[in-house]
Amino acid sequence: GIQVEQSPPDLILQEGANSTLRCNFSDSVNNLQWFHQNPWGQLINLFYIPSGTKQNGRLSATTVATERYSLLYISSSQTTDSGVYFCAIISSGGYQKVTFGTGTKLQVIP
Amino acid sequence: DVKVTQSSRYLVKRTGEKVFLECVQDMDHENMFWYRQDPGLGLRLIYFSYDVKMKEKGDIPEGYSVSREKKERFSLILESASTNQTSMYLCASSSRFQGLQAFFGQGTRLTVV
C-alpha cells in the first residue's frame, strides 16, 4: 500500500517562531489533507489540498503532487498550535480509504 | 459545517462485555470509517462503509464488527471486549461530491478493564 512519511517526528518551538512540516508519499494521490489533533484527541481539518497552495491565517500548505510531497507552514507560532499534525491521503488507486502519516508532534513553549 | 458525532467521549467497560460505539453524521455522506489510534502505532483503519448495509474490512478488523442500517449512522461493535482493545476510537465520514475530504468526530476513549 501507499506509504506516508512525515518529518520531523517531534518539534519544539519558541512562541513566535516559524516552522515547516513535511509529508512525503509514495504514490499518486486523489486527496491530501492536513489535520491538527487537539489535546482532547479530536482531529481538526486544516487543509484539503491535493495540489497547489492554500493559506488560512498563520497557516499555509503546499502540495507538489508530481514530486509527491506536501508542506505545512506555521508562522508566528502560538502555544495553542501545540499538538500533533497529521497528513492524510487517498491514493489514486486506493478506493476511499484514508491513509495517515505518522504525525509530527509540535510543542510551542512560551 | 459537517458534523460527525460520536455517542460517548469516554467509556469504561469490563472484559467480555459487548460494546457498541455509535457514530452519526449529518451531511448525507456515503462513506463512513472507524479508526483506532494507539501510541506509536498511529491511526489504523478498522472498517469502512461506502453505502447502507455495505462494509469493507480495513487493516485491523479482527475482534470488531460494524453495522450500517441507515446512511447517517455507522456503529462499531466489540463482540467481547478485551483489554487490548483499550484505545482511542475515531469515526469519520466523506463524500465523493466533496472530493473525499474526511471529517472526524470528537473521538471515544475506551478503556477495557
Side-chain angles (χ1 to χ4, degrees), chain A:
Chain A
I2 191 165
Q3 304 298 313
V4 184
E5 294 181 355
Q6 291 185 242
S7 59
D10 296 279
L11 187 58
I12 299 176
L13 293 177
Q14 200 78 39
E15 198 169 24
N18 303 328
S19 64
T20 302
L21 282 56
R22 187 177 179 102
C23 172
N24 291 332
F25 42 94
S26 61
D27 203 352
S28 57
V29 299
N30 277 337
N31 175 357
L32 188 146
Q33 290 181 256
W34 283 97
F35 293 93
H36 175 216
Q37 189 166 39
N38 65 23
W40 298 272
Q42 185 165 8
L43 285 165
I44 308 299
N45 288 45
L46 296 177
F47 293 102
Y48 166 69
I49 187 166
S51 63
T53 297
K54 289 186 178 179
Q55 179 148 13
N56 185 3
R58 295 181 296 103
L59 303 182
S60 64
T62 294
T63 297
V64 183
T66 52
E67 297 186 24
R68 299 184 182 169
Y69 73 89
S70 183
L71 302 174
L72 177 69
Y73 305 96
I74 304 174
S75 64
S76 304
S77 58
Q78 300 175 359
T79 55
T80 51
D81 295 330
S82 297
V84 183
Y85 290 80
F86 288 100
C87 164
I89 65 164
I90 297 177
S91 64
S92 299
Y95 203 23
Q96 297 97 329
K97 286 172 55 174
V98 179
T99 300
F100 281 82
T102 48
T104 292
K105 186 174 182 181
L106 173 65
Q107 185 180 358
V108 181
I109 54 178

Side-chain angles (χ1 to χ4, degrees), chain B residues 36 38 82-89 110-113:
Chain B
R36 66 176 280 178
D38 302 287
S82 63
T83 54
N84 63 14
Q85 292 177 310
T86 292
S87 187
M88 176 69 147
Y89 289 87
L110 172 68
T111 303
V112 183
V113 298

Side-chain angles (χ1 to χ4, degrees), chain B residues 41-102:
Chain B
L41 297 175
L43 281 94
R44 295 178 291 168
L45 182 64
I46 305 171
Y47 267 98
F48 67 99
S49 169
Y50 53 90
D51 201 351
V52 176
K53 297 191 186 295
M54 306 303 289
K55 60 184 179 184
E56 292 283 341
K57 292 180 180 179
D59 302 317
I60 51 162
E62 297 78 18
Y64 303 95
S65 62
V66 290
S67 172
R68 193 163 180 204
E69 295 297 317
K70 293 185 178 181
K71 192 174 185 180
E72 67 270 19
R73 186 179 297 268
F74 192 35
S75 303
L76 181 69
I77 303 157
L78 287 65
E79 294 289 343
S80 178
S82 63
T83 54
N84 63 14
Q85 292 177 310
T86 292
S87 187
M88 176 69 147
Y89 289 87
L90 293 155
C91 174
S93 71
S94 73
S95 172
R96 64 188 183 277
F97 300 110
Q98 289 184 290
L100 299 176
Q101 186 177 181

